[in-house]
Amino acid sequence: MAIRKVGVVGCGLMGSGIAQVSAQAGFPTVVREVSANALENGMGSIRRFLEDGIRKDKLTQAGMDATLANLSGTVELGQLADCDIVLEAATEHLGLKRELLGALDRLCKPETIFASNTSSLSITQMSAFTKRPERVIGLHFFNPVPLMKLVEVVKTIRTDPVVLQAADAWCTAIGKTAVHCGDSTGFVVNRLLVPYMLDAIRVFEQGLATRDDIDDAMKLGCGHPMGPLLLTDHVGLDTTCYISEIMFDEFKESRFSAPPLLKRMVMAGLTGRKSGRGFYDWSTHPPS
Ligand code: CAA
């Protein structure tokens, strides 16, 4: 089975990146948002990323035009009915995913593959929201989607191997490297990454080192492209806290528990880059 037409649900940080890389690789791609305003915001960030690519000599104007020609936006879920794969990158709320997958199941052709970009919810549970559980997988992308090469391809005990093969082929076609993993909370990357980010916050909370020294230590000592506190600002403190709560609930291990400082910062609205302030102040001096 070949993937020709792609649907993406959600045009936020992750959904816009997924729609972009799909369209950029030549796939007709329809991206759906809940409102015209949210759709315009998402499309705007795609256009800005492509324009930035032209400025950096990574893309030509013709390449940008071709990408945008492959991309269409909608607020109607029904526009995704004839897609060969629909990737959902909607808000991480199980009730919402239940509603969404149920509706897509009714609207889409029987062969359509459903993929979720969830970072922490169970793909198995989501597959049970449809009448086609063997065609439901996880395709977990990384932020920023156009620059990060990895996709975690997540299978459940019911996934049809043919669906995995089609997903692998599509990941290769959009220039990503797929790694396979089973449906366990956090998959591979967040299973390792989240405790590391939480530990960095604990080190900061305990006053062992300053923010900049913690970030410099991991950048310069371990060759990471950015330090863990800056990375948490990028991912979002609310998202990190939410993932850690789901992981703690699953594994009951203290390394997955959210440090009090993280919870307090989320309560105070200091969610990182998206709100203008987290460990760093993004409003006046965005960190490099
Ligand atoms: N179009 C095309 N290419 C672009 C571009 C654009 N608009 N913007 C940047 N690039 C290219 C650059 O030209 C450069 O290419 P070369 O290596 O060929 O020179 C490359 O992308 C890197 O860009 P920059 O030099 O501008 O930036 P950088 O070196 O500071 O790297 C980064 C930026 C890739 C984001 C890097 O900081 C990084 O890898 N950070 C870590 C990100 C990370 O860990 N993400 C995972 C988060 S966790 C997650 O997402 C999962 C979850 O569930 C929470």
Side-chain angles (χ1 to χ4, degrees):
M1 54 174 301
I3 292 173
R4 293 188 190 86
K5 184 172 179 187
V6 177
V8 180
V9 179
C11 199
L13 187 66
M14 301 303 285
S16 62
I18 296 168
Q20 180 191 318
V21 293
S22 172
Q24 214 162 352
F27 292 92
T29 303
V30 190
V31 58
R32 182 265 190 180
E33 251 301 349
V34 284
S35 69
N37 197 28
L39 186 61
E40 188 36 47
N41 282 342
M43 290 295 203
S45 44
I46 294 174
R47 279 192 296 271
R48 280 192 298 280
F49 193 94
L50 295 172
E51 282 160 4
D52 190 38
I54 294 176
R55 272 194 298 277
K56 289 181 168 150
D57 264 343
K58 294 284 173 179
L59 184 71
T60 60
Q61 184 62 51
M64 174 167 171
D65 294 345
T67 299
L68 294 177
N70 284 332
L71 195 58
S72 57
T74 182
V75 291
E76 303 290 336
L77 211 51
Q79 295 290 315
L80 277 57
D82 63 342
C83 290
D84 300 304
I85 187 168
V86 175
L87 294 102
E88 75 80 16
T91 310
E92 291 282 70
H93 185 283
L94 201 61
L96 176 81
K97 310 258 191 205
R98 181 199 300 268
E99 219 173 274
L100 193 58
L101 285 162
L104 286 167
D105 199 28
R106 287 188 294 277
L107 287 166
C108 293
K109 57 183 180 177
E111 313 84 66
T112 303
I113 297 171
F114 294 151
S116 175
N117 179 58
T118 185
S119 51
S120 47
L121 298 172
S122 164
I123 304 297
T124 311
Q125 194 167 16
M126 280 188 242
S127 73
F129 299 153
T130 74
K131 293 193 174 67
R132 57 181 93 189
E134 69 290 346
R135 306 188 79 71
V136 179
I137 52 171
L139 285 184
H140 185 215
F141 288 76
F142 294 84
N143 177 31
V145 175
L147 302 186
M148 305 307 283
K149 293 283 175 220
L150 182 70
V151 180
E152 288 178 312
V153 178
V154 184
K155 61 178 176 183
T156 74
I157 41 183
R158 298 196 61 180
T159 307
D160 184 339
V162 171
V163 169
L164 280 182
Q165 280 166 19
D168 276 351
W170 183 70
C171 288
T172 304
I174 62 167
K176 302 295 183 196
T177 298
V179 294
H180 284 193
C181 81
D183 180 29
S184 171
T185 303
F187 315 128
V188 174
V189 170
N190 280 341
R191 179 87 165 251
L192 303 176
L193 180 67
V194 171
Y196 158 69
M197 290 157 75
L198 299 176
D199 273 344
I201 299 169
R202 286 187 246 280
V203 165
F204 179 61
E205 188 176 36
Q206 289 159 14
L208 189 66
T210 64
R211 174 197 72 184
D212 291 351
D213 283 353
I214 292 167
D215 276 356
D216 280 348
M218 295 312 292
K219 260 172 73 181
L220 305 177
C222 295
H224 289 195
M226 58 173 72
L229 299 176
L230 181 57
L231 180 60
T232 308
D233 264 14
H234 272 280
V235 170
L237 277 71
D238 51 344
T239 306
T240 306
C241 195
Y242 180 75
I243 298 174
S244 80
E245 278 162 6
I246 294 179
M247 295 186 83
F248 183 75
D249 190 49
E250 170 103 339
F251 300 113
K252 305 283 187 295
E253 289 175 28
S254 57
R255 68 202 183 101
F256 296 111
S257 70
L261 175 65
L262 176 62
K263 292 185 190 166
R264 297 300 179 282
M265 289 178 75
V266 173
M267 285 174 200
L270 308 181
T271 53
R273 185 180 183 172
K274 65 177 93 168
S275 71
R277 206 172 138 199
F279 293 102
Y280 291 80
D281 183 351
W282 293 78
S283 57
T284 46
H285 301 290
S288 56

